Amino acid sequence: MDEPALKMITQPDAATNPPAHEVIYRRLRDQILFGEIAPGQALTIQGLADRLSAGMTPVREAIRRLTAEGALVFQGNRRVCVPELTAENISEIIYARQWLESHLGLRATERATPAALTRLTEIDRAVDRAILAGDLRSYLQGNHAFHAMIYDLADAPILAEMAERLWLRFGPSLRVVIGRIGTQNLPDKHKDMLECMRTGDSEGAARAMREDMLQGMEQIRDMLDLSERDN
Amino acid sequence: MDEPALKMITQPDAATNPPAHEVIYRRLRDQILFGEIAPGQALTIQGLADRLSAGMTPVREAIRRLTAEGALVFQGNRRVCVPELTAENISEIIYARQWLESHLGLRATERATPAALTRLTEIDRAVDRAILAGDLRSYLQGNHAFHAMIYDLADAPILAEMAERLWLRFGPSLRVVIGRIGTQNLPDKHKDMLECMRTGDSEGAARAMREDMLQGMEQIRDMLDLSERDN
DNA sequence: CTCTGGAAAATTTGATCATATTCTTGGCGG
DNA sequence: CCGCCAAGAATATGATCAAATTTTCCAGAG
């Protein structure tokens, strides 16, 4: 009597699957992570709702998540904005990442499959291409993807989440730094890292991860020292 | 001419100041932190809205924050629940807390004022009273307050937030452990910690914090090993 | 005759929006 | 210079739609 096939015909909305607040969260998160929203810039819920052409309820939920993750902070009583890092903040982040990156790098090396190494090598090549092309956005995305994949390989979800969350804090500043000094002469310990992973040298991989992190963080710290001296 | 006192009379709503989603977040957070919501127990948004006699929007926002903090996880597609820890999870938490607690303890010792030491001693006495009385809830609250005050003294907001967030993960399990073995013969390195802080022995304070953490975590690990062996 | 398995309907739950209410803030007038 | 008023933004409620789970009912097999 009724057509059961009708449902499949009238259902091209498989793309609607992820809820709106999730989509908005992801978009805002990426925009913060890759520095498209400048540190210190104020955001309003209604402004975001208009800009992303969404209702304000999903925007509110996305903002709650991001403030809980430290990617946004309450400014005064009513507004939120991307926080501006201080030199002390960077020292804390360096201290935490020292432990996190080296440990995750070590575990990832112990667990890496050949397929994973192939994929990591591909990502690193994309990073190289972005550096040569001076493509800032692609560099930042690729660099993050490289570390994120290592976190994933490490099979330590809690530590990986802690590491990911720190990216949200220094990401905006990283963008400013790289945008200032250009994508040339960037530190890249990724080659060392890959070589250690291929040979199973987990201690060396931990050292490479730590050094790669340190070089990037030192650049941010130098910039912050300069701008704080200006005041 | 006009009565300025009138304002105070017509304004008994000073308690309305914190927004509802903030209040709900805090209540839920405490209930999770002190194990009043059992690990694995499913929660629904509407159920919570009824139980806390609130609208569902503030409840939704509170749940977003708590899931972002790892205090809740999505269960399937529809429900959220307090996560159950695995033995691997505990190992990760131990690794992270090893350097977090010791570093925060060291910094707190360097910055502690006499007034702060007095307050810490008071908190520790309250913990002792709770242990003697077998008052589980007061013990958990006091123990947390002791560590939270040290985090606060350390003046390292990012690291302190990381440490606080880990409490949300092992808090529910801690409640189960202590509820099982009783509040007697609990580890208490708080006395060592206070003595080191008084004498300015920051290295010793770091060691005391680490050992206090380790003793508590080992108890949780032992329980998890047992229950996983049961399966 | 009873038990089990599956399908469909109904109820419960979640997501989003529109709207009202409250609170902050900035400007204007005394 | 202070206080009041207005505009705008955020919070919170209720309604509405969509989705999922549960329950119920029926059929077939033991």
Side-chain angles (χ1 to χ4, degrees):
Chain A
M1 316 311 172
D2 52 340
E3 277 84 356
L6 193 71
K7 196 185 174 193
M8 297 184 62
I9 298 173
T10 58
Q11 284 264 345
D13 58 346
T16 319
N17 244 358
H21 64 84
E22 186 76 23
V23 176
I24 300 202
Y25 162 77
R26 221 165 277 278
R27 286 183 59 177
L28 275 181
R29 182 182 205 270
D30 282 357
Q31 291 190 352
I32 294 169
L33 188 53
F34 302 128
E36 283 164 27
I37 303 177
Q41 179 177 343
L43 300 175
T44 67
I45 291 181
Q46 293 191 340
L48 286 175
D50 292 348
R51 189 156 69 82
L52 304 175
S53 61
M56 38 188 297
T57 309
V59 173
R60 285 173 63 81
E61 296 184 28
I63 284 186
R64 292 282 171 254
R65 274 180 80 174
L66 290 167
T67 50
E69 291 174 347
L72 295 174
V73 290
F74 281 99
Q75 187 77 332
N77 212 353
R78 210 72 170 186
R79 279 180 163 75
V80 293
C81 72
V82 180
E84 297 183 86
L85 286 187
T86 66
E88 286 89 27
N89 284 336
I90 277 290
S91 296
E92 293 178 62
I93 293 176
I94 288 176
Y95 179 78
R97 290 192 79 200
Q98 248 169 6
W99 299 104
L100 285 171
E101 297 285 321
S102 56
H103 190 65
L104 290 170
L106 188 142
R107 288 179 61 104
T109 302
E110 292 170 349
R111 288 164 178 75
T113 63
L117 279 175
T118 304
R119 179 83 192 102
L120 261 184
T121 308
E122 279 171 20
I123 295 177
D124 186 47
R125 265 202 290 270
V127 172
D128 287 342
R129 280 196 300 273
I131 291 179
L132 285 178
D135 183 347
L136 180 49
R137 169 69 186 233
S138 294
Y139 168 74
L140 292 170
Q141 278 183 332
N143 188 34
H144 174 258
F146 188 87
H147 286 257
M149 179 153 183
I150 287 171
Y151 301 159
D152 197 50
L153 288 174
D155 192 34
I158 295 179
L159 297 176
E161 198 183 302
M162 294 174 79
E164 278 282 5
R165 196 150 292 163
L166 289 175
W167 277 79
L168 279 177
R169 294 195 183 261
F170 65 76
S173 297
L174 189 62
R175 156 69 179 249
V176 175
V177 169
I178 312 279
R180 202 169 289 184
I181 68 177
T183 54
Q184 309 305 324
N185 53 29
L186 277 176
D188 193 352
K189 294 280 180 182
H190 294 184
K191 303 287 176 296
D192 296 355
M193 179 64 193
L194 283 172
E195 187 54 30
C196 288
M197 289 185 80
R198 284 195 199 92
T199 60
D201 177 8
S202 49
E203 296 287 342
R207 206 177 316 119
M209 283 289 279
R210 184 175 171 280
E211 285 169 2
D212 183 67
M213 175 279 292
L214 265 182
Q215 289 189 357
M217 292 296 104
E218 295 290 2
Q219 287 180 325
I220 299 181
R221 203 216 297 263
D222 291 346
M223 181 189 71
L224 289 181
D225 283 344
L226 282 182
S227 51
E228 282 184 4
R229 201 167 305 157
D230 286 347
N231 302 348
Chain B
M1 305 319 168
D2 56 335
E3 278 83 354
L6 192 69
K7 195 183 175 196
M8 298 183 61
I9 296 173
T10 57
Q11 285 264 345
D13 57 348
T16 318
N17 247 358
H21 66 85
E22 186 75 24
V23 176
I24 305 227
Y25 163 76
R26 220 165 279 279
R27 285 183 59 179
L28 275 181
R29 182 181 204 272
D30 283 357
Q31 291 190 353
I32 294 169
L33 190 52
F34 302 127
E36 284 166 25
I37 302 177
Q41 178 176 343
L43 299 176
T44 66
I45 292 182
Q46 294 192 342
L48 287 175
D50 293 347
R51 189 156 69 83
L52 304 175
S53 60
M56 42 184 293
T57 309
V59 172
R60 286 173 63 80
E61 295 183 28
I63 284 185
R64 291 282 171 254
R65 276 180 79 175
L66 290 168
T67 51
E69 291 173 347
L72 295 175
V73 290
F74 282 99
Q75 187 79 331
N77 212 351
R78 205 71 171 187
R79 281 177 160 75
V80 293
C81 73
V82 180
E84 298 183 84
L85 286 187
T86 67
E88 286 89 27
N89 284 336
I90 277 290
S91 296
E92 294 179 60
I93 293 175
I94 288 176
Y95 178 77
R97 290 192 80 199
Q98 243 168 7
W99 42 268
L100 279 173
E101 296 285 320
S102 56
H103 190 65
L104 290 169
L106 187 143
R107 288 178 60 103
T109 302
E110 293 170 348
R111 289 163 177 75
T113 63
L117 280 175
T118 304
R119 179 81 192 106
L120 262 183
T121 309
E122 278 171 19
I123 294 177
D124 186 49
R125 265 204 290 270
V127 172
D128 287 343
R129 279 196 300 274
I131 290 178
L132 285 178
D135 183 347
L136 180 49
R137 169 71 187 233
S138 294
Y139 167 75
L140 292 170
Q141 278 184 329
N143 188 34
H144 175 259
F146 188 86
H147 287 256
M149 179 154 184
I150 287 170
Y151 302 158
D152 198 51
L153 288 174
D155 192 33
I158 294 179
L159 297 176
E161 199 183 301
M162 293 173 80
E164 278 283 4
R165 195 149 294 164
L166 289 175
W167 277 80
L168 279 177
R169 294 195 183 261
F170 65 76
S173 298
L174 189 62
R175 158 67 180 250
V176 175
V177 170
I178 312 279
R180 202 168 288 185
I181 69 176
T183 55
Q184 308 306 324
N185 55 27
L186 277 177
D188 193 352
K189 294 279 179 181
H190 294 184
K191 304 285 176 297
D192 296 355
M193 179 65 194
L194 283 171
E195 188 54 30
C196 289
M197 290 185 80
R198 284 194 198 94
T199 60
D201 177 9
S202 49
E203 296 287 343
R207 205 177 318 120
M209 283 289 278
R210 182 174 171 282
E211 285 170 2
D212 183 67
M213 176 277 292
L214 265 182
Q215 290 190 357
M217 292 296 104
E218 295 290 3
Q219 286 180 326
I220 298 182
R221 202 213 301 258
D222 291 346
M223 182 190 70
L224 288 181
D225 283 344
L226 282 182
S227 50
E228 283 185 4
R229 201 167 304 159
D230 287 346
N231 302 349

